Amino acid sequence: MKHSLRIGGASGFWGDAPHATRQLLRDPDLDFLVYDYLAEITMSIMARARLKDSEKGYAVDFVSEVMTQNLSRIDELGVKVLSNAGGVNPMACANALRAEIAELGLNLKVAVVEGDDLLPRAAEFADRTEMFSGTPMPAAEKIASINAYIGAGPIVAALKAGADIVVTGRCVDSALTLAACMHHFGWGQGDHDLLAAGSLAGHLLECGPQATGGNFTDWKLAGDIAQIGYPVAEISADGSMVLTKPEGTTGCVTPASVCEQMLYEIGDPRGYILPDVVCDFSEVRMEQAGPDRVGVTGARGCAPTGQLKVSATWVDGYRVGMTFLINGREARQKAEVFAQAGLDRARAILNRLGAPDYREVSFEAYGGRPGDSDYEEISFKAAVKHDDARAAGLFLREMTGAALAAPPGLHIFTGGGRPKPSPVVALFSFLVPAITLSYRVTLEGKNIPYQQSEITPNEPKPIKGEVPEPAEADVMDWVSCPLEELAWARSGDKGDKANIGVIARHAAYMPYIWSALTEEKVSAVFSDYLSGEAERFYLPGTHSMNILLHEVLGGGGIASLRNDAQGKSFAQLLLATPVRIPARLIANSEQGGI
């Protein structure tokens, strides 16, 4: 057994660049490739595809564009492949893959992990309520998919049986990497700190180049992003790791870029709940270990909860929207008048027909004055939701029909005709005991014995986290500067929640950042979006903080009418927030690693 393990993160979502695999396979020492394709929206799309064709419902391009072009090299290097590209039909994915392997005359063995798909058992969950909102389970005919987030166990079983490629359905993104570590190093279910370290490695890899300069606050450091390197984790048996990227690629691997990814889309960093372990990332340390090499240590873990999160997607009516441009004096007012005219016309027709009003209306304007005159340029989005697709389409018809009566300056980029209503796919989450799932692990069609171990439920108790040292109050010379001069930040989503990870550029800045970004201040910054509360958590190991915003995305995903339904822009908004700090700290601090 090698003392370390090299794993490449080759995909972060369905649609990621297919050249990543070829790039990573230039590394002759690579042991594993992991591919994450799934999100809640993706599952619903795949579920609809399977309804139309029983042989679909998986990431088709994983087979046709990624594997087919690289299988010979994978076989040559002996690299193992782990992927959740199976979506809602992992067996069909594996069969398509086997056909390509046979066509190339190779002898790669493909395993399939099933058991996450609970749609056939929908009746068992009819009495469940949504774990965040408390709403009742939707009617069975509206449900598109029900999938549990499974852990590393059955993937490890497939590897032990001799699989070269493992295809799963809805496993946790980081579980692919964790399974590789457990198999290679022999880590057991009780090695909680090691499992947390392996999960952190998976979390750093699961979004591809977001750990190597993509989506990074200091984005110019990444250089030519057309050639950006995908991440490679060098993991040791003690759980320590180095995050790097292939030679000859662009991007940047620094403690800041890696820490942004660590904080991405997590909640409480002391209690990040996964099927195999509850992780504590608060004391993780990162340091530059060479050019484009960052050492990562300090992940801790405790026993899992014995519960699995289940995500159901369901059709909750229809939505339709349009974005148009308008310019000139009072452009914002002109845009609102035009959109309101279309809405008023549509509502009048609905009223005459005795039909219900629109469930939700969203008007959003972006832009402003490019100079000192009254001239403005505005991008304006108008969208509605309705239970009836015809009523949703009516809004767009009436707004388009008002175009010749609109105020001057209206212009729209066209080419595909008027947008059509699309189903609103809403998310419904709940928990099930892990032991209730029935797994089926097969290798080349033969069953592999696997029994889910019974886990004694562990309810993690809320931990009163540390806070930074109090900010100095008796200061003679204060300066105020945008947060971006003092910190890096990245934001993301989980359902209707958004998180913003904020990392101080120097440890001395953190008390002042913490003092400025109170929960009240953060709530005020996002008052146009926020319906719930704001929470914040401190991570002393990386002098950073994680901000969690509840009920802030209008339902999230394609259930939302927002321009930014995933909170991707929230960090940029927060980075403009002014922070007061002693002038001497700005003058004396040397911005270094974390």
Side-chain angles (χ1 to χ4, degrees), residues 15-294:
D16 205 345
H19 73 255
T21 299
R22 186 171 63 254
Q23 178 199 93
L24 289 165
L25 287 173
R26 294 203 302 259
D27 182 346
D29 297 319
L30 198 68
D31 297 299
F32 279 85
L33 283 168
V34 293
Y35 297 81
D36 173 35
Y37 282 93
L38 302 182
E40 286 82 5
I41 295 172
T42 313
M43 297 299 289
S44 64
I45 294 170
M46 290 178 170
R48 290 201 298 271
R50 184 178 59 179
L51 284 174
K52 295 178 181 178
D53 183 343
S54 62
E55 294 303 310
K56 293 295 188 291
Y58 63 91
V60 177
D61 49 348
F62 169 68
V63 178
S64 62
E65 294 187 35
V66 178
M67 287 290 98
T68 299
Q69 297 179 26
N70 295 287
L71 282 168
S72 295
R73 179 66 171 165
I74 287 169
D75 183 53
E76 176 189 344
L77 293 179
V79 173
K80 293 187 182 294
V81 173
L82 308 178
S83 177
N84 59 15
V88 299
N89 204 347
M91 189 60 74
C93 180
N95 288 337
L97 196 51
R98 290 185 183 115
E100 295 294 338
I101 292 169
E103 181 73 19
L104 292 168
L106 303 176
N107 192 34
L108 296 169
K109 298 178 181 179
V110 181
V112 179
V113 174
E114 298 173 289
D116 64 292
D117 189 352
L118 301 179
L119 188 60
R121 299 168 58 182
E124 296 178 33
F125 313 116
D127 61 344
R128 298 302 177 97
T129 56
E130 213 280 334
M131 61 188 294
F132 300 113
S133 68
T135 57
M137 177 69 81
E141 63 271 15
K142 292 186 175 184
I143 297 174
S145 64
I146 307 178
N147 295 83
Y149 286 71
I150 67 174
I155 305 172
V156 175
L159 290 171
K160 286 182 177 179
D164 300 298
I165 301 173
V166 183
V167 175
T168 78
R170 191 46 173 130
C171 74
V172 171
D173 309 342
S174 59
L176 299 168
T177 297
L178 177 58
C181 294
M182 294 177 71
H183 172 64
H184 183 79
F185 296 121
W187 296 348
Q189 288 186 330
D191 298 324
H192 298 133
D193 287 348
L194 295 173
L195 299 185
S199 297
L200 176 55
H203 183 63
L204 296 178
L205 293 176
E206 70 190 31
C207 290
Q210 280 198 174
T212 58
N215 197 15
F216 182 37
T217 303
D218 295 345
W219 59 276
K220 290 183 179 180
L221 296 179
D224 179 8
I225 60 174
Q227 307 298 325
I228 197 167
Y230 276 66
V232 175
E234 301 173 357
I235 308 167
S236 299
D238 64 358
S240 62
M241 74 192 87
V242 171
L243 203 288
T244 186
K245 64 183 184 68
E247 293 183 11
T249 61
T250 61
C252 61
V253 185
T254 68
S257 71
V258 177
C259 191
E260 277 196 8
Q261 177 58 29
M262 181 181 76
L263 297 178
Y264 184 64
E265 297 184 344
I266 64 172
D268 182 351
R270 293 178 179 271
Y272 183 45
I273 299 175
L274 298 171
D276 300 291
V277 64
V278 177
C279 303
D280 179 355
F281 297 156
S282 63
E283 295 291 349
V284 166
R285 305 278 174 170
M286 299 184 182
E287 61 180 19
Q288 201 75 48
D292 289 320
R293 293 176 62 81
V294 171

Side-chain angles (χ1 to χ4, degrees), residues 334-398:
K334 291 191 291 186
E336 290 173 350
V337 166
F338 172 58
Q340 189 63 46
L343 181 62
D344 289 345
R345 288 183 176 190
R347 278 176 164 162
I349 295 172
L350 292 179
N351 187 52
R352 287 200 303 271
L353 295 172
D357 192 8
Y358 294 103
R359 284 169 37 196
E360 187 178 341
V361 176
S362 175
F363 290 171
E364 291 183 273
Y366 290 89
R369 298 179 180 178
D372 296 330
S373 71
D374 289 339
Y375 174 82
E376 291 181 299
E377 296 174 348
I378 295 295
S379 170
F380 196 91
K381 189 280 316 286
V384 297
K385 281 184 188 177
H386 201 282
D387 287 336
D388 192 314
R390 294 168 298 177
L394 176 66
F395 165 68
L396 221 53
R397 189 193 77 182
E398 292 304 313

Side-chain angles (χ1 to χ4, degrees), residues 483 489-491 498-500 502 517-534 547-553 562 564 567-577:
L483 175 64
R490 180 180 298 175
S491 53
N499 91 292
I500 310 171
V502 179
L517 300 183
T518 63
E519 291 169 354
E520 293 75 18
K521 175 61 178 177
V522 171
S523 295
V525 170
F526 295 98
S527 59
D528 288 344
Y529 313 102
L530 187 64
S531 298
E533 62 176 353
I547 297 167
L548 189 60
L549 304 172
H550 299 261
E551 297 175 58
V552 73
L553 298 175
R562 302 272 180 81
D564 182 6
K568 304 299 185 185
S569 66
F570 284 9
Q572 301 304 302
L573 182 58
L574 191 66
L575 285 168
T577 304

